[in-house]
Coordinates of all heavy atoms in Angstrom, one line a residue:
M1 N 97.2 25.9 244.4 CA 98.5 25.3 244.7 C 99.3 26.2 245.6 O 99.2 27.4 245.5 CB 99.3 25.2 243.3 CG 100.8 24.9 243.6 SD 101.8 24.9 242.0 CE 101.5 23.3 241.4
V2 N 100.0 25.6 246.6 CA 100.8 26.3 247.5 C 102.2 26.0 247.2 O 102.6 24.8 247.1 CB 100.5 26.0 248.9 CG1 101.4 26.6 249.9 CG2 99.0 26.3 249.3
V3 N 103.1 27.0 247.0 CA 104.5 26.8 246.7 C 105.3 27.2 247.9 O 105.0 28.2 248.5 CB 104.9 27.7 245.5 CG1 106.4 27.6 245.2 CG2 104.1 27.4 244.3
K4 N 106.2 26.4 248.3 CA 107.1 26.6 249.4 C 108.4 27.1 248.9 O 109.1 26.4 248.1 CB 107.2 25.3 250.2 CG 107.8 25.4 251.5 CD 107.7 24.1 252.3 CE 108.8 24.0 253.3 NZ 108.8 22.7 254.0
V5 N 108.8 28.3 249.3 CA 110.1 28.8 248.8 C 110.9 29.3 250.0 O 110.4 29.7 251.1 CB 109.9 30.0 247.9 CG1 109.2 29.6 246.6 CG2 109.1 31.1 248.5
R6 N 112.2 29.1 249.8 CA 113.2 29.5 250.9 C 113.3 31.0 251.0 O 113.4 31.7 250.0 CB 114.6 28.9 250.6 CG 115.5 29.1 251.8 CD 116.6 28.1 251.6 NE 117.4 28.1 252.8 CZ 118.5 28.8 253.0 NH1 119.0 29.5 252.0 NH2 119.2 28.7 254.1
Q7 N 113.2 31.5 252.2 CA 113.3 33.0 252.4 C 114.7 33.4 252.3 O 115.6 32.6 252.6 CB 112.7 33.3 253.8 CG 111.2 33.3 253.9 CD 110.8 33.8 255.3 OE1 111.4 33.6 256.3 NE2 109.6 34.4 255.3
K8 N 114.9 34.7 251.9 CA 116.2 35.2 251.7 C 116.3 36.5 252.6 O 115.3 37.0 253.1 CB 116.4 35.6 250.3 CG 116.4 34.4 249.3 CD 116.6 34.9 247.9 CE 116.6 33.7 247.0 NZ 116.7 34.1 245.6
G9 N 117.5 37.0 252.7 CA 117.7 38.2 253.4 C 118.2 38.0 254.9 O 118.3 36.9 255.4
W10 N 118.5 39.1 255.5 CA 119.1 39.1 256.8 C 118.2 38.6 257.9 O 118.6 37.9 258.8 CB 119.7 40.4 257.2 CG 118.7 41.5 257.4 CD1 118.2 42.3 256.5 CD2 118.0 41.8 258.7 NE1 117.2 43.1 257.1 CE2 117.1 42.8 258.4 CE3 118.1 41.3 259.9 CZ2 116.3 43.4 259.4 CZ3 117.3 41.8 260.9 CH2 116.4 42.9 260.6
L11 N 116.9 38.9 257.7 CA 115.9 38.4 258.7 C 115.7 36.9 258.6 O 115.6 36.3 259.7 CB 114.6 39.1 258.4 CG 113.5 39.0 259.5 CD1 114.1 39.5 260.9 CD2 112.3 39.8 259.2
A12 N 115.8 36.4 257.4 CA 115.7 34.9 257.3 C 116.9 34.2 257.9 O 116.8 33.2 258.6 CB 115.6 34.5 255.8
K13 N 118.1 34.8 257.7 CA 119.3 34.3 258.3 C 119.3 34.3 259.8 O 119.7 33.4 260.5 CB 120.5 35.0 257.7 CG 120.8 34.7 256.3 CD 122.0 35.4 255.8 CE 122.2 35.1 254.3 NZ 123.4 35.6 253.7
L14 N 118.8 35.4 260.3 CA 118.7 35.5 261.8 C 117.7 34.5 262.3 O 118.0 33.8 263.3 CB 118.2 37.0 262.1 CG 118.1 37.3 263.6 CD1 119.5 37.3 264.2 CD2 117.5 38.7 263.8
S15 N 116.6 34.3 261.7 CA 115.6 33.3 262.1 C 116.2 31.9 262.0 O 116.0 31.1 262.9 CB 114.4 33.4 261.2 OG 113.5 32.3 261.4
E16 N 117.0 31.6 261.0 CA 117.6 30.3 260.8 C 118.6 30.1 261.9 O 118.8 29.0 262.5 CB 118.3 30.2 259.5 CG 117.3 30.1 258.3 CD 117.9 30.0 257.0 OE1 119.2 30.0 256.9 OE2 117.2 30.1 256.0
W17 N 119.4 31.2 262.3 CA 120.4 31.1 263.3 C 119.8 30.7 264.7 O 120.2 29.9 265.4 CB 121.2 32.4 263.3 CG 122.4 32.3 264.3 CD1 123.5 31.7 264.0 CD2 122.5 32.9 265.6 NE1 124.4 31.8 265.1 CE2 123.8 32.5 266.0 CE3 121.6 33.6 266.4 CZ2 124.2 32.9 267.3 CZ3 122.1 34.0 267.6 CH2 123.3 33.6 268.1
F18 N 118.6 31.4 265.0 CA 118.0 31.2 266.3 C 117.3 29.8 266.3 O 117.3 29.1 267.3 CB 117.0 32.3 266.6 CG 117.6 33.5 267.2 CD1 117.7 34.7 266.5 CD2 118.2 33.5 268.4 CE1 118.3 35.8 267.0 CE2 118.8 34.6 269.0 CZ 118.9 35.8 268.3
S19 N 116.6 29.5 265.2 CA 115.8 28.3 265.2 C 116.6 27.0 264.8 O 116.2 25.9 265.1 CB 114.6 28.4 264.3 OG 115.0 28.4 263.0
G20 N 117.7 27.2 264.1 CA 118.4 26.1 263.6 C 117.8 25.4 262.4 O 118.2 24.3 261.9
K21 N 116.7 26.0 261.9 CA 116.0 25.5 260.7 C 116.0 26.5 259.6 O 116.1 27.7 259.8 CB 114.5 25.2 261.0 CG 114.3 24.2 262.2 CD 112.8 24.1 262.4 CE 112.5 23.4 263.7 NZ 111.1 23.5 264.0
E22 N 115.9 26.0 258.3 CA 115.8 26.9 257.2 C 114.5 27.7 257.3 O 113.5 27.1 257.7 CB 115.8 26.1 255.9 CG 117.2 25.6 255.6 CD 117.3 24.9 254.3 OE1 116.2 24.5 253.7 OE2 118.4 24.7 253.7
A23 N 114.5 28.9 256.9 CA 113.3 29.8 256.9 C 112.6 29.6 255.5 O 113.2 29.8 254.5 CB 113.7 31.2 257.1
W24 N 111.3 29.2 255.6 CA 110.5 29.0 254.4 C 109.3 29.9 254.5 O 108.8 30.2 255.5 CB 110.1 27.5 254.3 CG 111.2 26.6 254.0 CD1 112.0 26.0 255.0 CD2 111.8 26.2 252.8 NE1 112.9 25.2 254.4 CE2 112.8 25.3 253.1 CE3 111.5 26.5 251.5 CZ2 113.6 24.7 252.1 CZ3 112.2 25.9 250.5 CH2 113.2 25.0 250.8
K25 N 108.8 30.2 253.3 CA 107.5 30.9 253.2 C 106.6 30.2 252.2 O 107.1 29.6 251.3 CB 107.6 32.4 252.9 CG 108.2 32.7 251.6 CD 108.3 34.2 251.4 CE 109.1 34.6 250.1 NZ 109.3 36.0 250.0
R26 N 105.3 30.4 252.4 CA 104.4 29.7 251.5 C 103.7 30.8 250.6 O 103.3 31.8 251.2 CB 103.4 28.9 252.3 CG 104.0 27.8 253.1 CD 103.0 27.3 254.1 NE 101.7 27.0 253.6 CZ 101.2 25.8 253.4 NH1 101.9 24.7 253.6 NH2 100.0 25.6 253.0
I27 N 103.6 30.5 249.4 CA 102.9 31.4 248.5 C 101.7 30.6 247.8 O 101.9 29.5 247.3 CB 103.8 31.9 247.4 CG1 104.9 32.7 248.0 CG2 103.0 32.8 246.4 CD1 106.0 33.2 247.1
E28 N 100.5 31.1 248.0 CA 99.4 30.5 247.4 C 99.1 31.0 246.0 O 99.0 32.2 245.9 CB 98.1 30.6 248.3 CG 97.0 29.8 247.9 CD 95.9 29.7 248.9 OE1 96.1 30.0 250.1 OE2 94.8 29.3 248.6
L29 N 98.9 30.1 245.0 CA 98.7 30.6 243.7 C 97.3 30.1 243.2 O 96.8 29.0 243.6 CB 99.7 29.9 242.7 CG 101.2 30.2 243.0 CD1 102.1 29.4 242.1 CD2 101.4 31.7 242.8
D30 N 96.6 31.0 242.5 CA 95.3 30.6 241.9 C 95.6 29.6 240.8 O 96.7 29.2 240.5 CB 94.5 31.8 241.4 CG 95.2 32.6 240.3 OD1 96.2 32.1 239.7 OD2 94.7 33.7 240.0
S31 N 94.5 29.2 240.1 CA 94.7 28.1 239.1 C 95.5 28.6 237.9 O 96.4 27.8 237.4 CB 93.3 27.7 238.6 OG 92.6 28.7 237.9
M32 N 95.4 29.8 237.5 CA 96.2 30.3 236.4 C 97.7 30.5 236.8 O 98.6 30.2 236.1 CB 95.7 31.7 235.8 CG 96.3 32.0 234.5 SD 95.7 33.6 233.8 CE 94.1 33.1 233.3
G33 N 97.9 31.0 238.0 CA 99.2 31.1 238.5 C 99.9 29.7 238.7 O 101.1 29.6 238.3
S34 N 99.2 28.7 239.1 CA 99.7 27.4 239.2 C 100.0 26.8 237.8 O 101.1 26.2 237.6 CB 98.7 26.5 239.9 OG 98.4 26.9 241.2
F35 N 99.2 27.1 236.9 CA 99.4 26.7 235.5 C 100.7 27.2 234.9 O 101.5 26.5 234.4 CB 98.2 27.2 234.6 CG 98.2 26.7 233.2 CD1 97.7 25.5 232.8 CD2 98.7 27.6 232.2 CE1 97.7 25.1 231.5 CE2 98.7 27.2 230.9 CZ 98.2 25.9 230.5
V36 N 100.9 28.5 235.2 CA 102.2 29.2 234.7 C 103.4 28.6 235.5 O 104.4 28.3 234.9 CB 102.1 30.7 234.8 CG1 103.4 31.4 234.6 CG2 101.0 31.2 233.9
W37 N 103.2 28.5 236.8 CA 104.3 28.1 237.7 C 104.9 26.7 237.2 O 106.1 26.5 237.1 CB 103.9 28.0 239.1 CG 104.9 27.5 240.1 CD1 105.1 26.3 240.6 CD2 106.0 28.3 240.6 NE1 106.2 26.2 241.4 CE2 106.8 27.4 241.4 CE3 106.5 29.6 240.5 CZ2 107.9 27.8 242.1 CZ3 107.6 30.0 241.2 CH2 108.3 29.1 242.0
E38 N 103.9 25.8 236.9 CA 104.3 24.5 236.5 C 105.1 24.5 235.1 O 105.8 23.6 234.8 CB 103.1 23.6 236.3 CG 102.5 23.3 237.7 CD 101.1 22.6 237.6 OE1 100.6 22.5 236.5 OE2 100.7 22.1 238.7
R39 N 104.9 25.6 234.4 CA 105.6 25.7 233.1 C 106.9 26.5 233.1 O 107.6 26.5 232.1 CB 104.6 26.3 232.0 CG 103.6 25.3 231.6 CD 102.3 25.9 231.1 NE 101.4 24.8 230.6 CZ 100.8 24.0 231.5 NH1 100.9 24.2 232.8 NH2 100.0 23.0 231.0
C40 N 107.2 27.0 234.3 CA 108.4 27.8 234.4 C 109.5 26.7 234.8 O 110.0 26.7 235.9 CB 108.3 28.8 235.5 SG 107.2 30.2 235.1
D41 N 109.9 25.9 233.8 CA 110.8 24.8 234.1 C 112.2 25.0 233.5 O 113.0 24.1 233.5 CB 110.2 23.5 233.5 CG 109.9 23.6 232.0 OD1 110.2 24.6 231.4 OD2 109.2 22.7 231.5
G42 N 112.4 26.2 232.9 CA 113.7 26.4 232.3 C 113.8 25.9 230.9 O 114.8 26.1 230.2
E43 N 112.8 25.2 230.4 CA 112.8 24.6 229.1 C 111.9 25.4 228.2 O 112.2 25.5 227.0 CB 112.4 23.1 229.1 CG 113.3 22.2 230.0 CD 114.7 22.2 229.4 OE1 114.8 22.1 228.1 OE2 115.7 22.2 230.2
R44 N 110.8 25.8 228.7 CA 109.8 26.5 227.9 C 110.1 28.0 227.8 O 110.6 28.6 228.7 CB 108.4 26.4 228.5 CG 107.8 25.0 228.4 CD 106.4 25.0 229.1 NE 105.8 23.7 229.0 CZ 105.9 22.8 229.9 NH1 106.6 22.9 231.0 NH2 105.3 21.6 229.7
S45 N 109.8 28.6 226.6 CA 110.0 30.0 226.4 C 108.8 30.8 226.9 O 107.7 30.1 227.1 CB 110.3 30.3 225.0 OG 109.1 30.1 224.2
V46 N 108.9 32.0 227.1 CA 107.7 32.9 227.4 C 106.7 32.7 226.4 O 105.5 32.6 226.7 CB 108.1 34.3 227.7 CG1 106.9 35.2 227.8 CG2 109.1 34.5 228.9
G47 N 107.1 32.7 225.1 CA 106.1 32.6 224.0 C 105.4 31.3 224.1 O 104.2 31.2 223.8
Q48 N 106.0 30.2 224.5 CA 105.4 28.9 224.6 C 104.4 28.9 225.7 O 103.3 28.4 225.6 CB 106.4 27.8 224.8 CG 107.2 27.5 223.6 CD 108.4 26.6 223.9 OE1 109.0 26.7 224.9 NE2 108.7 25.6 223.0
I49 N 104.7 29.6 226.8 CA 103.8 29.7 227.9 C 102.6 30.6 227.5 O 101.4 30.2 227.9 CB 104.5 30.2 229.2 CG1 105.6 29.3 229.6 CG2 103.5 30.5 230.3 CD1 106.4 29.8 230.8
V50 N 102.8 31.6 226.7 CA 101.7 32.4 226.2 C 100.8 31.6 225.4 O 99.5 31.6 225.5 CB 102.2 33.6 225.4 CG1 101.1 34.3 224.6 CG2 102.9 34.6 226.3
D51 N 101.3 30.7 224.5 CA 100.5 29.8 223.7 C 99.7 28.9 224.5 O 98.5 28.7 224.3 CB 101.4 29.0 222.7 CG 102.1 29.8 221.6 OD1 101.6 31.0 221.3 OD2 103.1 29.4 221.1
D52 N 100.3 28.3 225.6 CA 99.6 27.4 226.5 C 98.5 28.1 227.2 O 97.4 27.6 227.3 CB 100.6 26.9 227.5 CG 101.6 25.9 227.0 OD1 101.4 25.4 225.8 OD2 102.5 25.5 227.7
L53 N 98.7 29.4 227.6 CA 97.6 30.2 228.3 C 96.5 30.4 227.3 O 95.3 30.3 227.7 CB 98.2 31.5 228.8 CG 99.0 31.5 230.1 CD1 99.7 32.8 230.3 CD2 98.1 31.1 231.2
C54 N 96.8 30.8 226.1 CA 95.8 31.0 225.1 C 94.9 29.8 224.9 O 93.7 29.9 224.8 CB 96.4 31.5 223.8 SG 97.1 33.1 223.8
D55 N 95.6 28.6 224.8 CA 94.8 27.4 224.5 C 94.0 27.0 225.7 O 92.8 26.6 225.6 CB 95.8 26.3 224.2 CG 96.5 26.5 222.9 OD1 96.0 27.3 222.0 OD2 97.6 25.8 222.6
E56 N 94.6 27.0 226.9 CA 94.0 26.5 228.1 C 92.8 27.4 228.6 O 91.8 27.0 229.0 CB 95.0 26.4 229.2 CG 94.4 25.8 230.5 CD 94.1 24.4 230.5 OE1 94.5 23.6 229.6 OE2 93.3 23.9 231.4
Y57 N 93.1 28.8 228.6 CA 92.1 29.7 229.1 C 91.3 30.5 228.1 O 90.6 31.4 228.4 CB 92.8 30.6 230.1 CG 93.3 29.9 231.3 CD1 94.6 29.4 231.5 CD2 92.4 29.7 232.4 CE1 95.0 28.8 232.6 CE2 92.8 29.0 233.5 CZ 94.1 28.6 233.6 OH 94.5 27.9 234.7
R58 N 91.5 30.2 226.8 CA 90.9 30.8 225.7 C 91.0 32.4 225.7 O 90.1 33.1 225.6 CB 89.4 30.5 225.6 CG 89.2 29.0 225.5 CD 87.8 28.6 225.6 NE 87.6 27.2 225.7 CZ 86.9 26.4 224.9 NH1 86.2 27.0 224.0 NH2 86.8 25.1 225.1
L59 N 92.3 32.8 225.9 CA 92.6 34.2 226.0 C 93.1 34.7 224.6 O 93.6 33.9 223.9 CB 93.7 34.4 227.0 CG 93.5 34.0 228.5 CD1 94.7 34.2 229.3 CD2 92.3 34.9 229.1
H60 N 92.9 36.0 224.4 CA 93.5 36.6 223.2 C 95.0 36.7 223.5 O 95.4 36.9 224.7 CB 92.9 38.0 222.9 CG 91.5 37.9 222.5 ND1 91.1 37.4 221.3 CD2 90.3 38.3 223.2 CE1 89.8 37.5 221.2 NE2 89.3 38.0 222.3
R61 N 95.8 36.7 222.5 CA 97.2 36.6 222.7 C 97.7 37.9 223.5 O 98.5 37.7 224.4 CB 98.0 36.6 221.4 CG 99.5 36.4 221.5 CD 100.1 35.8 220.3 NE 101.5 35.5 220.6 CZ 101.9 34.4 221.1 NH1 101.1 33.4 221.4 NH2 103.2 34.2 221.4
R62 N 97.2 39.0 223.2 CA 97.7 40.2 223.9 C 97.3 40.2 225.4 O 98.1 40.6 226.3 CB 97.1 41.5 223.3 CG 97.7 41.8 222.0 CD 97.5 43.3 221.6 NE 98.0 43.6 220.3 CZ 99.2 44.1 220.0 NH1 100.0 44.3 221.0 NH2 99.5 44.3 218.8
E63 N 96.1 39.6 225.7 CA 95.7 39.5 227.1 C 96.6 38.5 227.8 O 97.0 38.8 228.9 CB 94.3 39.0 227.1 CG 93.6 38.9 228.5 CD 92.2 38.4 228.4 OE1 91.7 37.9 227.4 OE2 91.6 38.6 229.5
A64 N 96.9 37.4 227.2 CA 97.8 36.4 227.8 C 99.2 37.0 228.0 O 99.8 36.8 229.0 CB 97.9 35.1 226.9
E65 N 99.7 37.7 227.0 CA 101.0 38.3 227.1 C 101.1 39.3 228.3 O 102.0 39.3 229.1 CB 101.4 39.0 225.8 CG 101.7 38.1 224.7 CD 101.9 38.8 223.3 OE1 101.4 40.0 223.2 OE2 102.4 38.2 222.4
A66 N 100.1 40.1 228.4 CA 100.0 41.1 229.5 C 100.0 40.5 230.8 O 100.7 40.9 231.8 CB 98.9 42.1 229.3
S67 N 99.1 39.5 231.0 CA 98.9 38.8 232.2 C 100.2 38.1 232.6 O 100.6 38.1 233.8 CB 97.8 37.8 232.2 OG 96.6 38.4 232.0
L68 N 100.8 37.4 231.7 CA 102.0 36.6 232.0 C 103.2 37.6 232.3 O 103.9 37.3 233.3 CB 102.4 35.8 230.8 CG 103.7 34.9 231.0 CD1 103.5 34.0 232.1 CD2 104.0 34.1 229.7
A69 N 103.3 38.7 231.6 CA 104.4 39.6 231.9 C 104.2 40.2 233.3 O 105.2 40.3 234.0 CB 104.3 40.8 230.9
E70 N 103.0 40.5 233.7 CA 102.8 41.0 235.0 C 103.1 40.0 236.1 O 103.8 40.3 237.1 CB 101.4 41.5 235.2 CG 101.0 42.1 236.5 CD 99.6 42.6 236.6 OE1 98.9 42.8 235.5 OE2 99.1 42.8 237.7
F71 N 102.7 38.8 235.9 CA 102.9 37.7 236.8 C 104.4 37.4 236.9 O 105.0 37.2 238.0 CB 102.1 36.4 236.4 CG 102.2 35.3 237.4 CD1 101.7 35.4 238.7 CD2 102.8 34.1 237.0 CE1 101.8 34.4 239.6 CE2 102.9 33.0 237.9 CZ 102.4 33.2 239.2
L72 N 105.1 37.2 235.8 CA 106.5 36.9 235.8 C 107.4 38.1 236.5 O 108.3 37.8 237.2 CB 107.0 36.6 234.4 CG 106.5 35.3 233.8 CD1 107.1 35.2 232.4 CD2 106.9 34.1 234.6
T73 N 106.9 39.3 236.2 CA 107.6 40.4 236.9 C 107.5 40.3 238.4 O 108.5 40.5 239.1 CB 107.0 41.8 236.4 OG1 107.2 41.8 234.9 CG2 107.6 42.9 237.1
E74 N 106.3 40.0 238.9 CA 106.1 39.8 240.3 C 107.0 38.7 240.9 O 107.6 38.8 241.9 CB 104.7 39.6 240.6 CG 104.3 39.6 242.1 CD 104.7 40.9 242.8 OE1 104.6 42.0 242.2 OE2 105.1 40.8 244.0
L75 N 107.0 37.6 240.2 CA 107.8 36.4 240.6 C 109.3 36.8 240.6 O 110.0 36.4 241.5 CB 107.6 35.2 239.7 CG 106.2 34.5 239.8 CD1 106.1 33.4 238.8 CD2 105.9 34.1 241.2
R76 N 109.7 37.5 239.6 CA 111.1 37.9 239.5 C 111.5 38.9 240.7 O 112.5 38.7 241.3 CB 111.4 38.6 238.2 CG 112.9 38.9 237.9 CD 113.1 39.5 236.6 NE 112.4 40.7 236.3 CZ 112.7 41.9 236.8 NH1 113.7 42.0 237.6 NH2 111.9 43.0 236.5
K77 N 110.6 39.8 241.0 CA 110.9 40.7 242.1 C 111.0 40.0 243.4 O 111.8 40.4 244.3 CB 109.7 41.7 242.3 CG 109.7 42.8 241.3 CD 108.5 43.7 241.5 CE 108.3 44.8 240.5 NZ 107.0 45.5 240.7
R78 N 110.3 38.9 243.5 CA 110.4 38.1 244.8 C 111.5 37.1 244.7 O 111.7 36.3 245.7 CB 109.1 37.3 245.0 CG 107.9 38.2 245.3 CD 106.7 37.4 245.4 NE 105.5 38.3 245.7 CZ 104.5 37.9 246.5 NH1 104.5 36.8 247.1 NH2 103.5 38.8 246.7
G79 N 112.3 37.1 243.6 CA 113.4 36.2 243.5 C 113.0 34.7 243.2 O 113.8 33.8 243.5
L80 N 111.8 34.5 242.7 CA 111.4 33.1 242.5 C 111.6 32.6 241.1 O 111.6 31.4 240.9 CB 109.9 33.1 242.8 CG 109.5 33.5 244.2 CD1 108.0 33.5 244.3 CD2 110.1 32.5 245.2
V81 N 111.8 33.5 240.1 CA 112.2 33.1 238.8 C 113.3 34.0 238.2 O 113.4 35.1 238.7 CB 111.0 33.1 237.8 CG1 109.9 32.1 238.2 CG2 110.4 34.5 237.6
E82 N 114.0 33.5 237.3 CA 115.0 34.3 236.5 C 114.6 34.2 235.1 O 114.1 33.2 234.6 CB 116.4 33.8 236.8 CG 116.9 34.0 238.2 CD 118.3 33.4 238.4 OE1 118.9 33.0 237.4 OE2 118.7 33.4 239.5
M83 N 115.0 35.3 234.3 CA 114.7 35.3 232.9 C 116.1 35.1 232.2 O 117.1 35.7 232.7 CB 114.1 36.6 232.5 CG 112.8 36.8 233.2 SD 111.5 35.7 232.7 CE 110.5 36.9 231.8
K84 N 116.1 34.4 231.1 CA 117.4 34.3 230.4 C 117.1 34.5 228.9 O 116.0 34.3 228.5 CB 118.0 32.9 230.6 CG 117.3 31.7 230.1 CD 118.0 30.5 230.3 CE 117.3 29.3 229.7 NZ 118.0 28.0 229.9
E85 N 118.1 35.0 228.2 CA 117.9 35.3 226.8 C 117.8 33.9 226.0 O 118.4 32.9 226.4 CB 119.1 36.0 226.3 CG 119.2 37.4 226.7 CD 118.1 38.3 226.1 OE1 117.7 38.1 225.0 OE2 117.6 39.2 226.9
G86 N 116.9 33.9 225.0 CA 116.8 32.7 224.2 C 118.0 32.5 223.3 O 118.8 33.4 223.1
E87 N 118.2 31.3 222.9 CA 119.4 30.9 222.1 C 119.1 31.1 220.6 O 118.0 31.0 220.2 CB 119.8 29.5 222.4 CG 120.3 29.4 223.9 CD 120.7 28.0 224.2 OE1 121.0 27.2 223.3 OE2 120.8 27.7 225.4

């Protein structure tokens, strides 16, 4: 899956100013990354996504938690996801 996201920062603004178009970048995700991305909908909890990973990819819970934490941290660093406290 390829995800198209709007670029941020001063370089993106400069590019938009010169071109007159929004600056976008493409991020290619593998099958597990795509699986997680589709579940980052603001409705599912991290725990639910871990459960889904365990079921779909037959992972041990700790392995799924570690993989998901690493992936979500990278997405958060890139400004692609936000984490919110559960209710």
